[in-house]
Amino acid sequence: MKKPRSYKLGLMTRRSLNGWLFILPFVIGLIFFVLSPLYTALVLSFNVQTFNSVTNITDIEPHGFQAYIDAIKEGNFITNLIASASDLAIMVPSVLIFSFLMANVLNSKFVGRTVARAILFMPVITSAGVAASMLAGGGGVDESQIASMGSQAMNLAGNIEESIGGSFGTFVGAAFDKLTAIINGAGVPTLIFLAGLQTISPSIFESSKVEGATAWENFWKITFPMISPMILVNAVYAMIDVLCGMSNPMLSYLYSYMNEGGADQVNLMAMSWMYFLLVTIVVAVVAGIISKLVYYEN
Amino acid sequence: MEKSEKIKRINEVGAEEVDRYVPTKMSGWQKFKRVILGKYAVKFLWGIFRSVLLIGICYLVIYPMLIALITSFMTSADVYDPTVILIPRTINVDSYVAMWKFADIPTLYLNSFLSSAIFALMQMCSCMLVAYGLARFKFKGNNIMFLLCIFTLMVPIQMLTTSMYFRYQAFNPLYMFTFGEPLYRVPNIDLTRGWTAIGLLSATATMYRNGLFVFLLRQYFVNQPKELEEAAYIDGAGPFRTFAQIMLPSALPMLVTVFLFAFVWQYNDRYYIGFLNPSAKVMATQIIGMGSKYVVSVLNITGDGVLNSLYQSACTVMHIAPVVILYCFCQRFFVQSIERSGMVG
């Protein structure tokens, strides 16, 4: 007698196959649209591409580490790297603190909470791509024209700087500039913190109140540990936002370098790859450190 | 502890219990509060602080949009007049009428809405499949795939432009990792014309910030109860049917949120469209600089920043208005979805 259903795979094998089936789109995308360009960039950073007019084929010649050495020697790379690092050091803690504060405020009950929430999450849509550059740059007008617009200037920071004047005015203007950037960057993190706050069961606070804990103790002993996984998520998000966002000094430099006539491909690729490696290392290290401090309930 | 609460508590657990738990020693801060401020004063001050903070931040958020809106309604005389700040003398829609025709806004709107909706839908579908696979199936490499998903967020897309272009202009899946001669001898597709490349990226969850969508949806699915699924399996439903009929309906608010994000980011995307489909007539690539183009080519005035800003403001408002309206309808889901997701990192 034949064994029934002998062709059937084991349960665990089937489950894992189904899993791979579900994530198949991403596997394809990862190989063809992420890893392939990354690998191409890596190879092109060690090799010079030349077009051979006889065979109509692009040849590649080995270039070694020369492009990497050139990039470090050249200076612009290091300057922009330092600018990116200082951006990171200022923006990430500010965004985290600000979004945490906002999430706490938006989580408490008050008149007009719905309106406040709607407005505060608006940067999520208005700080994206073209909308952001249109709103920030006075609608695609270049810098010199904004300066000539006088009272109609759309740049709030510039207005404040002008009206206060002096070095203090410059400082306040710069602070306002950063504040706008922080508010724009805090949209998604606030949302994620708010979600975290909503999951803390009110019964924990009730029982701690019965025990006589103060609001300060409640915050440090309950809210903070319960929210710590969100801090990890938001730190990673904020770091990526600062390091890979459109306004990052390094990326704007690379972008302008690329669009420059006669840009050296091999140097561009080398700088891109170094920056990419540094970003990955920084994000991995910071995420690793924070994840050690995270408290998991389960 | 408040009196009414105390009485309620006494009814529940008895007087002795409650008395034992009432703090006997007051801290310095508590004494200070009792004596100087009183409970209501603290609440009142906190309320004022909160209102000031919120109103200030809301103002900062709205300010650029407000200025664009106001400027767009000005006449050219108002724009030049330094005494006109914030409120135009008359409401004037000339700039809208002019830009509507000059920039061919109806076509741009149609193309933008259609392409953004289709690609946002594709991104939503691919991301939810991937997220469900990562959340609900245990297989070797599950965690690595999830980390790789986050990793795709970390790749600065601008730096890949050259190599992406290199691969996509002669796309052949079999030669994605080779260089030199064979690459040019095989039949290949030029992906840098038309919408194919963006469609492929959307369908494979590798478009702009799709890793974030996968993360959000995965968190949602991870926290759903397992029993629902198990019941469906016992009743004989396969994994795809279970996903479509059991898991998806309850995920609707989250899906709306992801769709909104994807739509808005796609609608505003200038980068991908700019190099993968440069001939596309969509808002994001066409609308920037339209105001000054109009002033130069139709009004024959060059280098007038003030006049440019008037027409460009109309463009800005027309570009942002649809997404702001969409946001107003969807933002309810926005907070709801997150509240229900029970998200824990």
Side-chain angles (χ1 to χ4, degrees):
Chain A
M1 208 174 95
K2 244 167 98 183
K3 255 192 197 165
R5 285 189 292 169
S6 60
Y7 56 89
K8 207 166 179 181
L9 298 164
L11 178 68
M12 293 322 277
T13 324
R14 261 183 299 146
R15 288 290 287 173
S16 80
L17 270 182
N18 282 329
W20 281 106
L21 213 56
F22 270 101
I23 67 163
L24 188 64
F26 176 68
V27 176
I28 294 172
L30 183 73
I31 293 170
F32 290 133
F33 303 121
V34 180
L35 294 183
S36 162
L38 264 180
Y39 172 73
T40 309
L42 182 66
V43 171
L44 291 183
S45 73
F46 289 112
N47 296 283
V48 178
Q49 233 187 135
T50 46
F51 186 71
N52 188 335
S53 56
V54 182
T55 54
N56 268 347
I57 286 168
T58 317
D59 295 325
I60 55 173
E61 288 163 18
H63 196 58
F65 277 95
Q66 195 53 46
Y68 288 85
I69 297 164
D70 286 351
I72 292 169
K73 273 189 188 155
E74 198 233 348
N76 267 336
F77 179 77
I78 301 290
T79 315
N80 284 299
L81 203 62
I82 292 166
S84 296
S86 75
D87 240 25
L88 185 77
I90 297 168
M91 287 294 288
V92 172
S94 318
V95 164
L96 282 180
I97 292 167
F98 179 80
S99 54
F100 188 54
L101 183 69
M102 281 338 287
N104 273 298
V105 168
L106 290 178
N107 199 31
S108 56
K109 284 199 175 70
F110 57 89
V111 182
R113 183 170 75 154
T114 324
V115 179
R117 274 184 179 182
I119 293 175
L120 280 171
F121 291 138
M122 204 161 275
V124 171
I125 59 167
T126 55
S127 69
V130 180
S133 57
M134 284 174 102
L135 288 174
V141 197
D142 63 58
E143 292 271 325
S144 59
Q145 288 172 334
I146 291 173
S148 71
M149 275 198 278
S151 64
Q152 301 301 338
M154 303 208 176
N155 190 347
L156 185 61
N159 277 355
I160 291 167
E161 194 177 324
E162 228 171 77
S163 57
I164 297 176
S167 58
F168 184 66
T170 317
F171 172 75
V172 176
F176 255 89
D177 223 17
K178 277 270 178 283
L179 189 62
T180 319
I182 290 167
I183 292 171
N184 283 341
V188 176
T190 309
L191 208 61
I192 291 173
F193 271 139
L194 192 59
L197 289 176
Q198 303 271 349
T199 59
I200 304 174
S201 123
S203 59
I204 300 180
F205 287 111
E206 268 165 35
S207 57
S208 89
K209 202 176 171 188
V210 171
E211 301 271 1
T214 58
W216 183 249
E217 281 168 327
N218 273 350
F219 177 79
W220 284 109
K221 300 267 164 68
I222 300 173
T223 312
F224 198 73
M226 294 291 272
I227 211 86
S228 59
M230 303 293 144
I231 296 176
L232 173 64
V233 171
N234 278 337
V236 171
Y237 181 83
M239 277 191 287
I240 291 172
D241 209 34
V242 172
L243 292 175
C244 303
M246 300 285 178
S247 59
N248 179 275
M250 190 67 191
L251 289 183
S252 346
Y253 168 66
L254 289 178
Y255 204 60
S256 64
Y257 187 87
M258 184 177 71
N259 292 331
E260 240 169 54
D264 213 340
Q265 281 305 325
V266 68
N267 282 350
L268 178 69
M269 294 295 171
M271 286 192 280
S272 305
W273 247 95
M274 266 196 282
Y275 183 63
F276 165 66
L277 262 188
L278 286 173
V279 168
T280 316
I281 291 169
V282 166
V283 173
V285 167
V286 175
I289 293 171
I290 297 177
S291 66
K292 287 274 177 290
L293 308 172
V294 166
Y295 164 83
Y296 287 103
E297 203 183 355
N298 307 321
Chain B
M1 196 188 289
E2 280 194 84
K3 211 162 202 175
S4 57
E5 270 183 55
K6 196 170 176 179
I7 292 164
K8 210 169 139 199
R9 197 76 198 138
I10 288 171
N11 286 334
E12 276 170 25
V13 293
E16 290 170 15
E17 281 286 287
V18 171
D19 278 339
R20 206 181 301 153
Y21 283 120
V22 169
T24 47
K25 238 171 74 183
M26 274 198 284
S27 72
W29 169 242
Q30 276 175 320
K31 271 182 198 158
F32 175 73
K33 250 169 54 176
R34 277 281 153 93
V35 176
I36 310 279
L37 295 165
K39 206 160 73 191
Y40 293 100
V42 168
K43 258 191 185 159
F44 181 69
L45 284 177
W46 167 239
I48 287 182
F49 171 72
R50 188 172 56 197
S51 328
V52 169
L53 190 73
L54 283 178
I55 291 170
I57 292 164
C58 287
Y59 179 72
L60 276 182
V61 169
I62 289 180
Y63 181 84
M65 281 181 267
L66 196 68
I67 290 292
L69 190 67
I70 289 163
T71 313
S72 67
F73 282 118
M74 285 182 176
T75 58
S76 43
D78 281 348
V79 193
Y80 285 115
D81 190 346
T83 59
V84 177
I85 308 166
L86 288 185
I87 304 163
R89 290 229 159 80
T90 49
I91 298 285
N92 171 295
V93 290
D94 284 357
S95 57
Y96 286 96
V97 175
M99 292 319 296
W100 185 269
K101 277 202 190 123
F102 179 73
D104 198 7
I105 300 285
T107 316
L108 295 187
Y109 265 161
L110 185 74
N111 288 343
S112 273
F113 292 157
L114 262 183
S115 64
S116 308
I118 290 169
F119 294 129
L121 210 62
M122 286 167 83
Q123 288 172 39
M124 189 190 83
C125 290
S126 59
C127 288
M128 76 191 183
L129 284 175
V130 174
Y132 185 72
L134 289 174
R136 283 304 212 211
F137 295 92
K138 286 212 165 64
F139 51 87
K140 256 185 204 156
N142 184 319
N143 286 331
I144 293 169
M145 291 313 286
F146 178 60
L147 282 181
L148 280 171
C149 231
I150 302 297
F151 166 83
T152 58
L153 280 173
M154 273 185 261
V155 182
I157 43 170
Q158 288 95 330
M159 72 168 247
L160 287 183
T161 313
T162 321
S163 47
M164 270 162 118
Y165 196 79
F166 178 78
R167 289 298 176 195
Y168 294 175
Q169 51 150 354
F171 181 81
N172 186 310
L174 297 174
Y175 291 89
M176 288 306 273
F177 293 90
T178 54
F179 290 85
E181 204 175 341
L183 197 61
Y184 300 92
R185 293 278 162 82
V186 291
N188 44 42
I189 321 154
D190 186 357
L191 285 187
T192 55
R193 307 266 179 280
W195 292 106
T196 335
I198 294 174
L200 280 173
L201 286 169
S202 300
T204 54
T206 39
M207 239 340 235
Y208 182 65
R209 296 258 161 107
N210 278 11
L212 178 71
F213 303 156
V214 172
F215 172 80
L216 288 173
L217 286 164
R218 180 185 168 272
Q219 288 312 119
Y220 178 83
F221 288 130
V222 158
N223 288 301
Q224 293 308 102
K226 273 217 164 66
E227 288 75 15
L228 274 174
E229 262 178 328
E230 276 160 10
Y233 282 135
I234 288 167
D235 286 344
F240 285 93
R241 194 163 167 203
T242 312
F243 174 61
Q245 293 191 340
I246 308 290
M247 296 304 279
L248 272 194
S250 66
L252 189 70
M254 199 49 149
L255 290 176
V256 172
T257 306
V258 166
F259 179 80
L260 179 71
F261 272 102
F263 183 89
V264 170
W265 284 341
Q266 184 64 45
Y267 181 79
N268 277 313
D269 165 59
R270 189 162 42 141
Y271 172 76
Y272 280 103
I273 294 177
F275 90 97
L276 290 177
N277 190 10
S279 59
K281 292 249 173 293
V282 289
M283 288 296 266
T285 52
Q286 302 287 313
I287 204 76
I288 280 200
M290 226 12 144
S292 52
K293 218 184 266 175
Y294 175 78
V295 172
V296 170
S297 65
V298 178
L299 302 179
N300 279 321
I301 303 166
T302 41
D304 190 335
V306 181
L307 209 56
N308 287 352
S309 76
L310 169 65
Y311 288 100
Q312 193 58 48
S313 297
C315 290
T316 307
V317 172
M318 284 193 279
H319 177 75
I320 292 172
V323 276
V324 171
I325 293 166
L326 182 74
Y327 169 78
C328 291
F329 281 110
C330 292
Q331 68 94 15
R332 181 166 63 88
F333 288 102
F334 210 58
V335 179
Q336 225 181 57
S337 66
I338 304 278
E339 282 178 4
R340 281 195 206 156
S341 71
M343 209 155 66
V344 172

